[in-house]
Amino acid sequence: MSQVRVLGELAVLDDVGPARRGRAYPAAGATSALLLPAAVLLGGLVLWPVLRTMHASVTTDGRWVGAAHFRTALAAPGTGAVVGRTVLWALLVPAVVTALGYLLAAASRRSQEGGLVRLILLVPVALPLVVTGVTFRLMYDPDPSRGLATLVATRLAGRPVEDAPQLLGPGMVTVALMSAFVWAWVGLAVLVFRSALDAVPPSLADAVRAYGGTRRHVLWDAQWRPLLLRTTAVVFALVAVGTSRTFDLILVMTPGSVRDEASVLALRIWQTSGTTTTGDGAALGVVWLVAVIGGIMVAALFVRQAWPPPRVEAAPEPASVAPPRRVFRLLAAGAAIAWLVPLVVLVATSAHGQVDAAARGWWSAPPNGESYRDLVTGTELWRTLGFTLLLATAVTATVLVVALLAAYPLAWLTGPAAQATGLLLLAASVVPIQVIAGPVNEVLGLVLSSGTAQGLALVHIALGVPFAVLVLRNAFADLPVEQVRDARLGGRRWWHTLRRLARHNLSAVVAVSVLEFVQVWNDLVVGRLFSASGSSPLGPFLAEQTRSFVSNSGALAASSVLASVLPVVLVVLSRRHLVAGLVSGGVR
């Protein structure tokens, strides 16, 4: 241990023994100040609302009623089907997304067209789920003269036009919704699996073959056991949590006559409670909350690793992975074409006017651009886009600042304290907003007037902070000790150190910023629950236009295209940072 003068201040260089993350730990007083903004937001708009919902589920007007609300809610007509459908979503859809993600990631590796395939698969990830719902409702229109998928299904089934399959009918609506969700999420799974496959050293496969291992042994011992098994669990858990956002798809894709046949807990709780706190709605919310948090905790424990993670300092091995077989390359090309079809349907429909789009399919008439001309000359869409841009920018900047301040002291925790902090942040990041909407409105009523732009932004900030802190905390903890020491010695104050640490973790900072911006831009449920008529963001604006879907399909498609440009550009341009940031700052 030695002492030197750095910029006029005494610095202690602890170079004895193994590297310790505590070298960059801020002072105790600074730590409290750094954690305060995140603590206030999470305590007031996440923790207290969760406790308030739990209290409302077992009381009536302050009087203890035990499990009465649970029995009433679960015994209500249709609740059993709703719960079963929610479980089906949480199990089947993640399994399909995970399997397709791995297959397409493996099929698109080491081939000339692989980059283009992954780019096409990535575009739906950035689209608002409202736009995804609009796109697939156009494809699944019950009239074969307008719905491309309905027309193809009718021809394949050999049925007359009058007896066309109803893909959005009571028997098929859940399958149709799931297909839209899979289309939207597979690209993210492909990116994560591609990153994991690239991280597997080729020498592992060579070693397995040297000992007489077959292709099956290579797959299991050189890929799945060292890395891909954990990656599969992470992807499955992320998609399972993401299925809580089926609210957006169900609200936009399903006609009102079949909405009950497609309902899940996300929709049923909103229909039961809305922005208030009721006993039955609170009981359903607690059931859903326990299931979501319990599932993500099991996944987190399954993929747990030592904290801090061991860092292997080794030179990268030369890539010697053979290109995929021809059949797998054809699979990747076929998937890219299939993923392009919905995008073509949306863009082609948007190029037609209101009358043409409502009367016939986009393939039946030449495009005229009338819908875009009407939107460009109007003011409503531009006003909504401007408000959403301002909201997303302000929320993203605030979340990033609050998360950086909190991640700095939390990153240097070790052992059980670090594990417990990570689990708490993980639990807070997956709390469904429908469950706590009533108590959040009560809090907003105390500090702000309800239904204001400030209140809407505050809710977005509180919901975005836990995940941002988690990613940045893990990314800071992954830094090599040399970079930590450089940041500590190069900054006279803690904020100088933090700025240098953030610069070393640029990918994680970019990932958090882009994901938060896209999340706010693409949001429907938070805007629907907490915005007012004068401050409505993009998601509710588009969802409102679906009330007259057929007659408004041309303008709705054009609005959806314009609403998707910015998030798609951001995600495509930052895709390398997104993967690097999430992998380096992944859940520990």
Side-chain angles (χ1 to χ4, degrees):
M1 182 178 296
S2 58
Q3 298 181 351
V4 296
R5 290 277 175 179
V6 179
L7 299 178
E9 292 188 354
L10 187 64
V12 179
L13 304 184
D14 182 6
D15 295 321
V16 181
R20 297 200 311 273
R21 293 181 295 158
R23 289 191 179 96
Y25 195 91
T31 297
S32 301
L34 294 174
L35 293 175
L36 183 61
V40 170
L41 284 167
L42 297 183
L45 290 173
V46 178
L47 177 59
W48 187 88
V50 167
L51 296 177
R52 174 73 177 89
T53 299
M54 296 175 66
H55 178 263
S57 70
V58 293
T59 60
T60 299
D61 297 328
R63 179 174 53 85
W64 175 267
V65 296
H69 292 312
F70 290 91
R71 289 192 294 266
T72 302
L74 295 176
T79 301
V82 168
V83 173
R85 208 174 290 119
T86 304
V87 173
L88 183 66
W89 270 93
L91 295 178
L92 179 60
V93 173
V96 173
V97 171
T98 303
L100 279 177
Y102 171 72
L103 289 175
L104 294 176
S108 61
R109 292 182 76 208
R110 314 297 180 185
S111 61
Q112 294 179 349
E113 70 279 3
L116 179 61
V117 169
R118 290 190 297 275
L119 183 62
I120 293 173
L121 296 176
L122 179 64
V123 170
V125 175
L127 296 180
L129 272 181
V130 175
V131 173
T132 300
V134 169
T135 302
F136 276 78
R137 188 164 176 180
L138 290 171
M139 286 184 58
Y140 294 153
D141 192 294
D143 188 344
S145 65
R146 293 191 304 265
L148 179 61
T150 305
L151 175 63
V152 172
T154 302
R155 298 283 176 83
L156 292 177
R159 295 184 181 183
V161 173
E162 298 78 13
D163 191 27
Q166 298 300 297
L167 302 179
L168 291 178
M172 292 291 295
V173 64
T174 297
V175 177
L177 289 165
M178 288 181 174
S179 67
F181 192 90
V182 169
W183 180 80
W185 277 73
V186 159
L188 179 63
V190 170
L191 285 182
V192 176
F193 274 116
R194 169 64 193 276
S195 177
L197 286 168
D198 289 346
V200 175
S203 59
L204 287 178
D206 296 337
V208 173
R209 294 190 191 98
Y211 282 91
T214 63
R215 182 180 296 272
R216 179 175 61 85
H217 293 112
V218 169
L219 177 64
W220 176 250
D221 293 323
Q223 291 186 353
W224 281 99
R225 286 180 64 185
L227 189 58
L228 292 184
L229 188 61
R230 178 181 296 161
T231 304
T232 298
V234 170
V235 171
F236 189 97
L238 286 175
V239 179
V241 172
T243 58
S244 63
R245 295 187 60 201
T246 50
F247 175 90
D248 302 37
L249 281 179
I250 295 173
L251 206 63
V252 173
M253 268 187 70
T254 58
S257 58
V258 298
R259 192 160 292 163
D260 288 341
E261 283 75 11
S263 181
V264 294
L265 282 174
L267 186 65
R268 175 61 68 91
I269 293 171
W270 173 71
Q271 291 172 329
T272 303
S273 298
T275 57
T276 61
T277 304
T278 64
D280 294 353
L284 282 179
V286 169
V287 171
W288 189 26
L289 181 64
V290 170
V292 170
I293 293 181
I296 199 67
M297 288 298 177
V298 170
L301 293 174
F302 180 74
V303 300
R304 68 187 184 276
Q305 65 184 51
W307 185 268
R311 180 173 299 278
V312 180
E313 302 292 345
E317 300 184 53
S320 61
V321 179
R325 294 181 176 181
R326 183 178 180 82
V327 64
F328 289 109
R329 296 178 66 178
L330 291 175
L331 170 66
I337 294 173
W339 255 248
L340 273 176
V341 170
L343 297 174
V344 170
V345 169
L346 179 66
V347 174
T349 304
S350 71
H352 290 77
Q354 183 175 358
V355 176
D356 283 346
R360 51 190 170 179
W362 52 269
W363 59 88
S364 303
N368 52 32
E370 181 182 328
S371 295
Y372 285 105
R373 284 196 296 271
D374 293 341
L375 288 174
V376 169
T377 56
T379 60
E380 190 175 7
L381 177 62
W382 298 116
R383 184 169 59 249
T384 303
L385 287 173
F387 173 77
T388 308
L389 178 62
L390 181 63
L391 175 68
T393 302
V395 168
T396 301
T398 306
V399 166
L400 185 61
V401 171
V402 173
L404 282 170
L405 295 178
Y408 176 38
L410 293 179
W412 320 120
L413 295 177
T414 57
Q419 298 286 357
T421 301
L423 292 176
L424 288 175
L425 289 171
L426 186 60
S429 65
V430 299
V431 173
I433 185 58
Q434 294 97 318
V435 174
I436 60 174
V440 168
N441 253 332
E442 294 175 7
V443 175
L444 293 180
L446 295 175
V447 298
L448 295 166
S449 57
S450 184
T452 62
Q454 294 88 343
L456 177 63
L458 198 60
V459 175
H460 274 300
I461 292 168
L463 295 177
V465 162
F467 181 74
V469 173
L470 186 66
V471 171
L472 292 173
R473 179 203 78 147
N474 295 343
F476 284 173
D478 276 353
L479 283 176
V481 66
E482 293 81 10
Q483 291 183 350
V484 175
R485 184 181 290 115
D486 173 71
R488 181 59 172 163
L489 295 181
R492 298 191 60 182
R493 298 290 186 269
W494 62 263
W495 53 86
H496 298 140
T497 303
L498 176 57
R499 186 175 60 187
R500 287 172 174 266
L501 291 173
R503 195 181 307 156
H504 290 314
N505 268 307
L506 182 61
S507 290
V509 172
V510 171
V512 166
S513 302
V514 171
L515 289 175
E516 183 60 32
F517 184 95
V518 171
Q519 169 67 23
V520 177
W521 182 275
N522 292 349
D523 169 72
L524 169 63
V525 62
V526 176
R528 196 175 185 93
L529 289 172
F530 300 102
S531 65
S533 57
S535 59
S536 179
L538 192 57
F541 171 81
L542 293 176
E544 190 66 24
Q545 295 187 43
T546 62
R547 292 180 179 273
S548 303
F549 191 89
V550 174
S551 61
N552 202 33
S553 56
L556 182 56
S559 300
S560 298
V561 171
L562 294 177
S564 303
V565 172
L566 182 56
V568 168
V569 170
L570 283 177
V571 170
V572 169
L573 292 181
S574 63
R575 62 189 183 276
R576 297 185 185 277
H577 286 294
L578 287 178
V579 176
L582 292 178
V583 170
S584 67
V587 176
R588 302 292 184 218

